Amino acid sequence: EKYAMNHDDYLNNYVTTGTKKVLGIGRKLRGRRSDGSTFSLYLSLSEARIGNDIFFTGILRDLSAEEDENTRMLAILRSAVDPIVQISKTGIIQLVNPACCKVFKYSERELLGENVKILMPEEHACMHDSYLKNYIQTGVKKVLGVGRKLRGRKSDGSMFGLYLTLSEARIGSRIFFTGIMRDLSAEEAENERMLAILTSACDPIVQITKDGIIQLVNAACCKVFMYLENELVGQNVKILMPAEHANYHDSYLNNYITTGVKKVLGVGRKLRGRRSNGSTFSLYLTLSEAKIGQDIFFTGILRDLSAEEQENERMLAILTSAVDPIVQINEQGIIQLVNTACCKVFMYQESELVGQNVKILMPEEHANMHDSYLMNYLTTGVKKVLGVGRQLRGRRSDGSMFSIYLTLSEARIGKRVFYAGHMRDLSAEEQEQERMLSILSSAVDPIVQINQKGIIQMVNPACCRVFKYENDELLNHNVKILMPEKYAMNH
């Protein structure tokens, strides 16, 4: 409605003044269907004059699929429970998710465009630019691909413990660094306790004969493919294709002319295009047929997907290059996406996981119930584990079990529901805890740990032996049980 109410004025203004504002410029808009629903589209508008008559032609492309894909990938990032930040090679913040803003106590606009040092204590911040510069110059990786514990600084200046996994993504000549963080405040408290013991058309158009000979190209086609018009007209359209497609194109055309069986006509699809310099790029092709007398022509409207492809690659790079395992499933529990870290930790190939039920990664006792958990949530809408981090057991391809920390988030695109699980392999931490516990347990001298109310939290075997109690006779009792009356009454 907000566009429709002004459209007549826009038309009248152009016809009266001749000032072009949207003609010849592609742009994204919203369209409205007969049922009142709206959707994203890409419009390129051109003008034609025949005598005194003026006509305007709009070529539109339905962007619903691309918008869904971008929304899906962005939803994974934005709905992640753990903080995510992406910076340029100069340390400038390009992207933060809501969890990052929440943990560091900033709004998104306060972070975007700032140096990432804003999130660091002074002792790390003063050296960070030199660390980045050194890596860009030497290529020597010191922290990339390695998870480590650091301190973070919130907007109020307070510090907290975090676990940072840092990855690098290169898109063309651009370099991005993505940090997935996990707030270790709770774990830190627990660890401290133990230690005390994350042609006017803007889109290219090409028309060919039934023999594949180019009859017409528009300016956008020439621009995108880096040819002059006279270098294309009269040539076989194979000139615009990579060799693997070009070698078969004549046979595809001949087969359709002979049999009349439509395989690609009227169906949009993604392909690769080849520029004059031999470089290839992604495009979206919609192909139509026109018959004039006995002549047959085919018209292809193409859209250069380089920008979208780079954005998808950037987003996918963030996910696939993450050091921690990430898995995405649909509402039936079927795995849609896994990253390299997931394959490595669970000891599977990507092809062995995608399309399988996520139960393949679980011990039998959890796997048997997982489908019913999913169905119960879809039926009732009651969230029990979404948005809550928890420790679980994972099952590798060889059947061995290990400890993981799972944060689960939900993304909805239209009527589709996806769940993304960000996992952290706790094997190293678990071993360290076991090591520390074994030190305490094997100590010759009695050791006892109490909370602030004097309640016993832990005792070692030596303590039980010396005081002649069983372990369960001491746990959760006041430590006064181990003292003579005159000391116990004042403790």
Side-chain angles (χ1 to χ4, degrees):
E1 186 64 33
K2 66 179 180 179
Y3 298 118
M5 64 190 298
N6 295 317
H7 191 260
D8 290 343
D9 291 338
Y10 295 154
L11 269 178
N12 185 59
N13 182 64
Y14 171 66
V15 172
T16 304
T17 66
T19 302
K20 295 182 179 181
K21 294 183 178 179
V22 296
L23 284 172
I25 301 174
R27 57 179 183 156
K28 285 188 180 181
L29 294 170
R30 302 294 293 177
R32 184 179 62 186
R33 302 186 181 95
S34 62
D35 62 2
S37 62
T38 64
F39 65 102
S40 183
L41 58 85
Y42 189 90
L43 168 68
S44 53
L45 192 62
S46 58
E47 175 188 15
R49 293 177 182 261
I50 303 174
N52 292 322
D53 294 326
I54 302 174
F55 300 92
F56 301 98
T57 302
I59 299 178
L60 300 84
R61 193 167 118 59
D62 183 358
L63 298 181
S64 301
E66 288 85 344
E67 192 174 57
D68 280 355
E69 179 63 15
N70 287 340
T71 301
R72 183 177 73 88
M73 299 191 79
L74 188 59
I76 293 174
L77 297 177
R78 297 192 65 81
S79 62
V81 177
D82 289 335
I84 297 176
V85 60
Q86 186 185 68
I87 63 171
S88 67
K89 64 181 181 181
T90 53
I92 304 304
I93 298 173
Q94 309 290 301
L95 175 150
V96 290
N97 69 343
C100 185
C101 298
K102 180 180 179 181
V103 167
F104 285 91
K105 297 182 177 179
Y106 283 98
S107 66
E108 184 177 12
R109 62 181 178 79
E110 289 177 316
L111 290 176
L112 294 181
E114 294 293 329
N115 194 294
V116 73
K117 294 186 293 187
I118 196 174
L119 304 180
M120 303 175 188
E122 187 61 34
E123 62 269 24
H124 297 304
C126 65
M127 300 297 295
H128 191 258
D129 288 342
S130 63
Y131 294 154
L132 269 178
K133 186 177 181 181
N134 182 66
Y135 171 66
I136 298 298
Q137 290 177 345
T138 67
V140 177
K141 296 181 179 180
K142 294 183 179 179
V143 296
L144 284 172
V146 180
R148 58 179 183 153
K149 288 185 180 181
L150 294 170
R151 301 295 289 173
R153 182 178 64 184
K154 297 176 178 162
S155 62
D156 60 7
S158 61
M159 308 296 177
F160 68 104
L162 59 87
Y163 189 90
L164 170 69
T165 51
L166 191 63
S167 57
E168 175 186 15
R170 292 177 182 259
I171 302 174
S173 60
R174 294 182 299 164
I175 302 174
F176 300 94
F177 301 99
T178 303
I180 300 180
M181 294 165 278
R182 201 164 105 62
D183 182 358
L184 296 181
S185 300
E187 289 84 346
E188 196 172 55
E190 177 64 15
N191 288 340
E192 286 174 358
R193 185 179 75 84
M194 297 282 295
L195 186 61
I197 359 175
L198 143 70
T199 75
S200 58
C202 293
D203 286 337
I205 297 175
V206 58
Q207 187 184 69
I208 62 171
T209 66
K210 65 181 180 180
D211 303 311
I213 304 303
I214 297 173
Q215 302 294 293
L216 175 149
V217 290
N218 67 345
C221 185
C222 297
K223 180 179 178 181
V224 167
F225 285 92
M226 301 173 139
Y227 283 98
L228 297 175
E229 184 180 5
N230 58 15
E231 293 176 316
L232 289 176
V233 173
Q235 296 292 320
N236 194 295
V237 73
K238 293 186 294 186
I239 196 174
L240 304 179
M241 304 175 187
E244 60 268 26
H245 298 304
N247 293 337
Y248 297 101
H249 192 258
D250 288 343
S251 62
Y252 294 155
L253 269 177
N254 185 61
N255 182 68
Y256 171 65
I257 298 299
T258 304
T259 66
V261 177
K262 296 181 180 181
K263 293 183 178 180
V264 296
L265 284 171
V267 180
R269 57 178 183 155
K270 283 189 180 182
L271 295 171
R272 301 294 292 177
R274 184 180 64 183
R275 303 184 182 96
S276 62
N277 63 5
S279 63
T280 64
F281 65 103
S282 182
L283 59 86
Y284 190 89
L285 170 68
T286 50
L287 193 62
S288 58
E289 176 187 16
K291 296 193 178 190
I292 303 174
Q294 299 297 315
D295 295 324
I296 300 174
F297 299 93
F298 301 98
T299 302
I301 299 177
L302 302 83
R303 186 160 135 66
D304 182 358
L305 298 181
S306 301
E308 288 85 342
E309 190 174 57
Q310 287 179 356
E311 178 64 12
N312 287 341
E313 286 175 356
R314 183 176 74 87
M315 289 187 155
L316 188 59
I318 293 173
L319 298 176
T320 57
S321 62
V323 177
D324 287 336
I326 297 175
V327 60
Q328 187 188 64
I329 64 170
N330 63 16
E331 55 191 342
Q332 285 81 43
I334 304 303
I335 297 173
Q336 307 292 297
L337 175 150
V338 291
N339 68 345
T340 305
C342 186
C343 297
K344 180 180 178 182
V345 168
F346 285 91
M347 300 167 68
Y348 282 98
Q349 299 294 321
E350 183 180 8
S351 59
E352 294 176 312
L353 289 176
V354 174
Q356 296 293 320
N357 194 293
V358 74
K359 294 187 293 187
I360 196 174
L361 304 179
M362 302 175 188
E364 191 66 30
E365 60 269 24
H366 296 305
N368 291 336
M369 301 299 293
H370 191 259
D371 288 343
S372 64
Y373 294 155
L374 267 178
M375 180 59 67
N376 181 66
Y377 171 65
L378 291 171
T379 304
T380 67
V382 177
K383 296 181 180 180
K384 294 183 178 179
V385 296
L386 284 172
V388 180
R390 56 179 183 154
Q391 284 194 212
L392 295 170
R393 302 291 288 173
R395 182 178 64 183
R396 302 186 182 96
S397 62
D398 62 2
S400 62
M401 307 297 178
F402 66 106
S403 184
I404 60 171
Y405 190 89
L406 171 69
T407 52
L408 193 62
S409 56
E410 176 186 17
R412 292 179 180 263
I413 302 173
K415 294 182 179 179
R416 294 181 297 165
V417 181
F418 299 94
Y419 304 97
H422 294 70
M423 292 167 278
R424 196 164 111 63
D425 182 358
L426 297 181
S427 301
E429 287 84 342
E430 195 171 55
Q431 288 175 358
E432 178 63 14
Q433 289 177 356
E434 288 175 357
R435 186 181 72 84
M436 294 183 70
L437 188 59
S438 69
I439 292 173
L440 298 176
S441 298
S442 61
V444 176
D445 291 332
I447 296 175
V448 60
Q449 186 184 65
I450 65 172
N451 65 17
Q452 60 187 0
K453 295 181 179 179
I455 304 303
I456 297 173
Q457 306 294 295
M458 187 205 81
V459 292
N460 68 343
C463 184
C464 295
R465 185 176 67 253
V466 168
F467 285 91
K468 297 182 179 181
Y469 281 99
E470 295 296 325
N471 189 71
D472 58 5
E473 292 177 313
L474 291 176
L475 293 181
N476 297 317
H477 284 79
N478 196 291
V479 73
K480 293 187 294 186
I481 195 174
L482 304 179
M483 302 175 188
E485 184 64 30
K486 65 178 180 178
Y487 299 115
M489 64 189 295
N490 295 317
H491 188 260

